[in-house]
Amino acid sequence: HPVQYALTALQRDLENIAAPSDYLGGALYGEEGGKSQFRQDSIEMHTTTGIILEEYPWGDIQKVTYALEQGRDLDESEEMYLVRRISRNILSESDADEEKSAEYEILLKGVYHFEVTYYDGQSWYASWDSTEKEESPLPAAVRVRLYYSPNLHQDEEDLKAEKNPLVYPYELLI
């Protein structure tokens, strides 16, 4: 169930990316990270998936970031967590205000590979910056690959998906 929840949240956010604009719809940034064998990419986007509540002064557009982080001060483990960071106050005047109001949601523990690639209609790219794309700032498709193991931290050689039946590969194509 945790894997399905994480993939559903990621898919929902990617399907509802707000078009980049000067005010509410910010840029889409995708950054390649980690080693070539075990990628630790991150993606930052503005989505229309925010829940509107009476007690909060903001709308449905929110800035969402997905990334792998180690431990998050929750334990001494070296395992990686897939984290979803949500900033609802996108009109704040400083990054410090935005950071202070951000919410962190740990989606999944035991992720060893988080790879996001972007398709522009002709080629796949390992990173994306919508501020550099004038004609079409959003990709035509986004592919997410995630390797997850519910087991305790293992040796890096044992984590190769083709060698270990306890490492589960998942792929989303949006």
Side-chain angles (χ1 to χ4, degrees):
H1 291 109
V3 175
Q4 192 61 42
Y5 176 77
L7 293 175
T8 300
L10 184 56
Q11 180 176 356
R12 185 172 156 245
D13 284 334
L14 287 169
E15 287 175 345
N16 291 286
I17 292 177
S21 70
D22 293 338
Y23 297 105
L24 295 176
L28 168 67
Y29 294 109
E31 189 174 1
E32 181 180 12
K35 303 176 214 166
S36 60
Q37 183 181 359
F38 295 110
R39 296 256 302 263
Q40 297 174 4
D41 294 357
S42 65
I43 181 170
E44 177 183 293
M45 65 193 116
H46 284 70
T47 71
T48 59
T49 57
I51 298 171
I52 299 174
L53 298 172
E54 236 178 77
E55 59 266 16
Y56 297 115
W58 37 75
D60 63 342
I61 295 182
Q62 60 188 4
K63 183 164 75 171
V64 179
T65 304
Y66 286 88
L68 288 185
E69 295 184 14
Q70 188 172 10
R72 299 262 331 131
D73 298 329
L74 299 174
D75 55 29
E76 298 300 319
S77 170
E78 292 185 16
E79 287 185 286
M80 300 299 282
Y81 294 85
L82 179 61
V83 175
R84 180 178 186 237
R85 180 179 175 267
I86 306 159
S87 299
R88 299 286 314 269
N89 188 9
I90 58 173
L91 294 175
S92 67
E93 295 189 18
S94 72
D95 289 338
D97 289 342
E98 186 180 315
E99 183 69 29
K100 193 187 311 181
S101 66
E103 303 169 22
Y104 284 91
E105 180 180 10
I106 296 172
L107 295 176
L108 195 57
K109 179 180 179 180
V111 177
Y112 294 98
H113 180 89
F114 180 64
E115 174 185 350
V116 185
T117 52
Y118 310 89
Y119 186 67
D120 70 352
Q122 296 178 349
S123 302
W124 287 97
Y125 297 94
S127 61
W128 190 270
D129 184 352
S130 64
T131 60
E132 296 177 356
K133 315 279 186 191
E134 289 181 20
E135 288 182 27
S136 66
L138 294 178
V142 177
R143 181 176 55 209
V144 177
R145 289 186 176 141
L146 179 120
Y147 292 166
Y148 160 76
S149 177
N151 297 333
L152 297 175
H153 185 71
Q154 302 176 29
D155 184 83
E156 196 169 291
E157 274 300 306
D158 294 336
L159 290 174
K160 292 181 182 173
E162 65 271 6
K163 286 186 165 187
N164 188 344
L166 298 177
V167 174
Y168 303 105
Y170 295 92
E171 183 173 283
L172 283 176
L173 182 62
I174 293 108

Short mmCIF file of all heavy atoms in Angstrom, two decimals, residues 18-39:
data_model
loop_
_atom_site.label_atom_id
_atom_site.label_comp_id
_atom_site.label_asym_id
_atom_site.label_seq_id
_atom_site.Cartn_x
_atom_site.Cartn_y
_atom_site.Cartn_z
N ALA A 18 0.62 22.93 -13.31
CA ALA A 18 0.13 24.23 -13.77
C ALA A 18 1.09 24.78 -14.82
O ALA A 18 2.30 24.66 -14.68
CB ALA A 18 0.03 25.20 -12.59
N ALA A 19 0.53 25.37 -15.85
CA ALA A 19 1.37 25.95 -16.89
C ALA A 19 2.23 27.06 -16.30
O ALA A 19 1.75 27.86 -15.50
CB ALA A 19 0.49 26.51 -18.01
N PRO A 20 3.50 27.10 -16.66
CA PRO A 20 4.38 28.15 -16.13
C PRO A 20 3.88 29.54 -16.48
O PRO A 20 3.44 29.79 -17.60
CB PRO A 20 5.72 27.86 -16.82
CG PRO A 20 5.65 26.42 -17.19
CD PRO A 20 4.21 26.15 -17.50
N SER A 21 3.92 30.44 -15.49
CA SER A 21 3.55 31.83 -15.70
C SER A 21 4.34 32.69 -14.72
O SER A 21 5.08 32.17 -13.89
CB SER A 21 2.04 32.04 -15.51
OG SER A 21 1.71 31.90 -14.15
N ASP A 22 4.14 33.97 -14.78
CA ASP A 22 4.90 34.88 -13.92
C ASP A 22 4.47 34.84 -12.47
O ASP A 22 5.24 35.14 -11.58
CB ASP A 22 4.78 36.31 -14.44
CG ASP A 22 5.47 36.49 -15.77
OD1 ASP A 22 6.35 35.67 -16.08
OD2 ASP A 22 5.10 37.42 -16.51
N TYR A 23 3.21 34.49 -12.18
CA TYR A 23 2.72 34.61 -10.81
C TYR A 23 2.46 33.25 -10.16
O TYR A 23 3.23 32.79 -9.34
CB TYR A 23 1.47 35.48 -10.76
CG TYR A 23 1.76 36.89 -11.20
CD1 TYR A 23 1.37 37.35 -12.44
CD2 TYR A 23 2.47 37.75 -10.37
CE1 TYR A 23 1.67 38.63 -12.85
CE2 TYR A 23 2.77 39.04 -10.78
CZ TYR A 23 2.37 39.47 -12.01
OH TYR A 23 2.66 40.73 -12.42
N LEU A 24 1.37 32.62 -10.49
CA LEU A 24 0.97 31.43 -9.76
C LEU A 24 1.54 30.13 -10.31
O LEU A 24 1.80 29.21 -9.56
CB LEU A 24 -0.56 31.34 -9.70
CG LEU A 24 -1.23 32.46 -8.91
CD1 LEU A 24 -2.73 32.33 -9.00
CD2 LEU A 24 -0.76 32.47 -7.48
N GLY A 25 1.70 30.02 -11.59
CA GLY A 25 2.25 28.81 -12.17
C GLY A 25 3.74 28.97 -12.38
O GLY A 25 4.16 29.63 -13.32
N GLY A 26 4.53 28.42 -11.52
CA GLY A 26 5.98 28.58 -11.62
C GLY A 26 6.60 27.58 -12.57
O GLY A 26 5.92 26.80 -13.23
N ALA A 27 7.90 27.60 -12.61
CA ALA A 27 8.67 26.76 -13.53
C ALA A 27 8.66 25.30 -13.09
O ALA A 27 8.43 24.97 -11.94
CB ALA A 27 10.10 27.27 -13.61
N LEU A 28 8.92 24.44 -14.05
CA LEU A 28 9.13 23.02 -13.80
C LEU A 28 10.64 22.79 -13.88
O LEU A 28 11.27 23.08 -14.89
CB LEU A 28 8.41 22.17 -14.86
CG LEU A 28 8.77 20.68 -14.89
CD1 LEU A 28 8.28 19.99 -13.62
CD2 LEU A 28 8.15 20.02 -16.11
N TYR A 29 11.20 22.30 -12.77
CA TYR A 29 12.63 22.00 -12.72
C TYR A 29 12.81 20.53 -12.42
O TYR A 29 12.26 20.01 -11.44
CB TYR A 29 13.35 22.79 -11.62
CG TYR A 29 13.40 24.27 -11.83
CD1 TYR A 29 12.65 25.12 -11.04
CD2 TYR A 29 14.20 24.81 -12.82
CE1 TYR A 29 12.68 26.49 -11.21
CE2 TYR A 29 14.25 26.18 -13.01
CZ TYR A 29 13.49 27.01 -12.20
OH TYR A 29 13.53 28.36 -12.40
N GLY A 30 13.59 19.87 -13.22
CA GLY A 30 13.96 18.48 -12.95
C GLY A 30 15.46 18.39 -12.97
O GLY A 30 16.11 18.85 -13.91
N GLU A 31 16.03 17.82 -11.93
CA GLU A 31 17.48 17.76 -11.80
C GLU A 31 17.94 16.32 -11.61
O GLU A 31 17.39 15.59 -10.78
CB GLU A 31 17.93 18.61 -10.63
CG GLU A 31 19.40 18.80 -10.54
CD GLU A 31 19.79 19.77 -9.44
OE1 GLU A 31 18.91 20.30 -8.74
OE2 GLU A 31 20.99 19.98 -9.28
N GLU A 32 18.94 15.94 -12.39
CA GLU A 32 19.53 14.62 -12.28
C GLU A 32 20.48 14.61 -11.08
O GLU A 32 21.21 15.56 -10.86
CB GLU A 32 20.29 14.28 -13.56
CG GLU A 32 20.93 12.94 -13.57
CD GLU A 32 21.67 12.66 -14.86
OE1 GLU A 32 21.88 13.60 -15.66
OE2 GLU A 32 22.07 11.51 -15.06
N GLY A 33 20.45 13.53 -10.32
CA GLY A 33 21.33 13.44 -9.16
C GLY A 33 21.75 12.01 -8.88
O GLY A 33 21.22 11.07 -9.45
N GLY A 34 22.70 11.85 -7.99
CA GLY A 34 23.16 10.53 -7.59
C GLY A 34 24.12 9.91 -8.58
O GLY A 34 24.59 10.55 -9.51
N LYS A 35 24.37 8.64 -8.37
CA LYS A 35 25.26 7.89 -9.25
C LYS A 35 24.48 7.39 -10.46
O LYS A 35 23.25 7.35 -10.44
CB LYS A 35 25.82 6.68 -8.49
CG LYS A 35 26.54 7.03 -7.22
CD LYS A 35 26.95 5.76 -6.52
CE LYS A 35 26.89 5.99 -5.03
NZ LYS A 35 26.95 4.76 -4.28
N SER A 36 25.19 6.96 -11.48
CA SER A 36 24.51 6.49 -12.69
C SER A 36 23.71 5.23 -12.42
O SER A 36 22.64 5.03 -12.98
CB SER A 36 25.52 6.26 -13.81
OG SER A 36 26.46 5.29 -13.42
N GLN A 37 24.19 4.36 -11.54
CA GLN A 37 23.49 3.11 -11.25
C GLN A 37 22.25 3.35 -10.39
O GLN A 37 21.20 2.80 -10.62
CB GLN A 37 24.42 2.13 -10.56
CG GLN A 37 23.76 0.79 -10.31
CD GLN A 37 24.68 -0.15 -9.60
OE1 GLN A 37 25.81 0.17 -9.30
NE2 GLN A 37 24.19 -1.34 -9.33
N PHE A 38 22.40 4.20 -9.36
CA PHE A 38 21.29 4.51 -8.47
C PHE A 38 21.06 6.01 -8.50
O PHE A 38 21.72 6.76 -7.81
CB PHE A 38 21.58 4.04 -7.04
CG PHE A 38 21.68 2.55 -6.92
CD1 PHE A 38 22.89 1.96 -6.66
CD2 PHE A 38 20.57 1.75 -7.10
CE1 PHE A 38 23.00 0.58 -6.57
CE2 PHE A 38 20.66 0.37 -7.01
CZ PHE A 38 21.88 -0.21 -6.75
N ARG A 39 20.10 6.43 -9.32
CA ARG A 39 19.83 7.86 -9.48
C ARG A 39 19.03 8.39 -8.29
O ARG A 39 18.21 7.69 -7.71
CB ARG A 39 19.05 8.09 -10.77
CG ARG A 39 19.82 7.73 -12.03
CD ARG A 39 20.35 8.92 -12.77
NE ARG A 39 19.35 9.86 -13.15
CZ ARG A 39 18.78 9.92 -14.36
NH1 ARG A 39 19.11 9.07 -15.30
NH2 ARG A 39 17.88 10.84 -14.62
#
